[in-house]
Amino acid sequence: MFRRTPLTLMLLTAAWLALPAVGLAAAAGHGAAEEEHAVGGIWDNLPFWGLIAFLGFLYAIRKLGWDSFLTGMREREENELRLIGEAAQLREQALERLRHYQGQMEALDEHVREALAEAQRDADHTRRDIRTVAQREAELVRQRAEVEIERVRNQSLSEIFEATVDRITREAEARIRARLSPTVQQKLIDAAVAEFTQQA
């Protein structure tokens, strides 16, 4: 297949630019064509020599710098292709790292969720333990209070009983003394002393 190289494109452009000049020269000198050929011939045809000069200029450009220009363009294209390849590789690496970091973030989110769930379970367990300990302490305090109340009540009843017995004893003693005569009292004392002496 025909390949349009830059040199071919330049030649086509030169031919396209030279066509109007050739047409104008043909129209202007149509009537005097035989005279021009006879007088000057091809040497006086400026469009033709302009085309020849342009083609020579293109040939000189090709010989002097076209190969280096093409080599530079080829190297630039290869460099651009290499950079594009490196950019694609970097993009793949970035996507791979992104997937890796996304996996790490998902694993971290899962770990955080598990840690929060475990902390919630620990908090519930601690709350239950605190409630149990508080109930136990409250029960112990209530039992100690009941024991203390019972002790105080018993002590108060004992004191009241002792005071009542002492009072009754004093009143009974006073009544008995009031009813006994001094002679009977002496007899009772003598009998108690004799009983004590016999026991000794």
Side-chain angles (χ1 to χ4, degrees):
M1 180 179 287
F2 178 72
R3 184 177 177 183
R4 291 188 177 181
T5 62
L7 180 60
T8 305
L9 292 176
M10 288 183 181
L11 290 175
L12 291 174
T13 304
W16 181 73
L17 291 174
L19 283 177
V22 173
L24 288 175
H30 181 60
E34 296 176 359
E35 181 181 349
E36 287 182 3
H37 286 297
V39 174
I42 196 169
W43 301 106
D44 293 332
N45 191 348
L46 293 178
F48 174 74
W49 290 111
L51 179 60
I52 294 298
F54 184 72
L55 292 176
F57 176 70
L58 292 179
Y59 181 76
I61 288 177
R62 174 163 186 166
K63 285 298 182 182
L64 294 176
W66 188 253
D67 290 337
S68 62
F69 176 72
L70 289 179
T71 303
M73 291 296 291
R74 192 177 300 110
E75 291 176 354
R76 181 177 177 184
E77 182 180 1
E78 291 175 355
N79 189 26
E80 289 178 355
L81 291 175
R82 181 179 58 79
L83 291 176
I84 290 172
E86 291 177 357
Q89 290 179 355
L90 291 175
R91 181 176 178 273
E92 289 298 326
Q93 291 177 0
L95 289 175
E96 184 65 26
R97 288 183 180 176
L98 178 61
R99 287 191 290 269
H100 177 69
Y101 290 144
Q102 284 178 346
Q104 286 184 344
M105 291 299 293
E106 290 175 358
L108 182 61
D109 289 341
E110 183 66 23
H111 181 69
V112 168
R113 283 194 294 271
E114 291 178 358
L116 289 176
E118 184 176 358
Q120 184 64 35
R121 289 193 297 271
D122 292 341
D124 293 339
H125 186 267
T126 304
R127 192 179 301 112
R128 287 193 298 270
D129 289 345
I130 291 173
R131 187 182 296 114
T132 302
V133 170
Q135 289 175 352
R136 189 181 303 118
E137 291 292 331
E139 183 65 21
L140 290 175
V141 169
R142 186 184 65 79
Q143 290 177 359
R144 283 196 295 269
E146 288 179 354
V147 168
E148 186 67 20
I149 291 171
E150 185 68 19
R151 186 184 66 78
V152 171
R153 186 176 69 85
N154 291 335
Q155 184 177 358
S156 299
L157 289 176
S158 177
E159 291 175 357
I160 292 172
F161 179 74
E162 289 177 359
T164 303
V165 168
D166 186 41
R167 181 178 174 187
I168 290 173
T169 301
R170 286 197 304 269
E171 289 180 359
E173 184 180 353
R175 288 181 183 179
I176 290 172
R177 285 182 181 174
R179 291 184 182 179
L180 294 177
S181 62
T183 306
V184 175
Q185 289 180 3
Q186 188 62 41
K187 287 181 180 180
L188 288 174
I189 291 171
D190 292 338
V193 169
E195 184 179 354
F196 179 73
T197 305
Q198 290 177 359
Q199 290 179 355

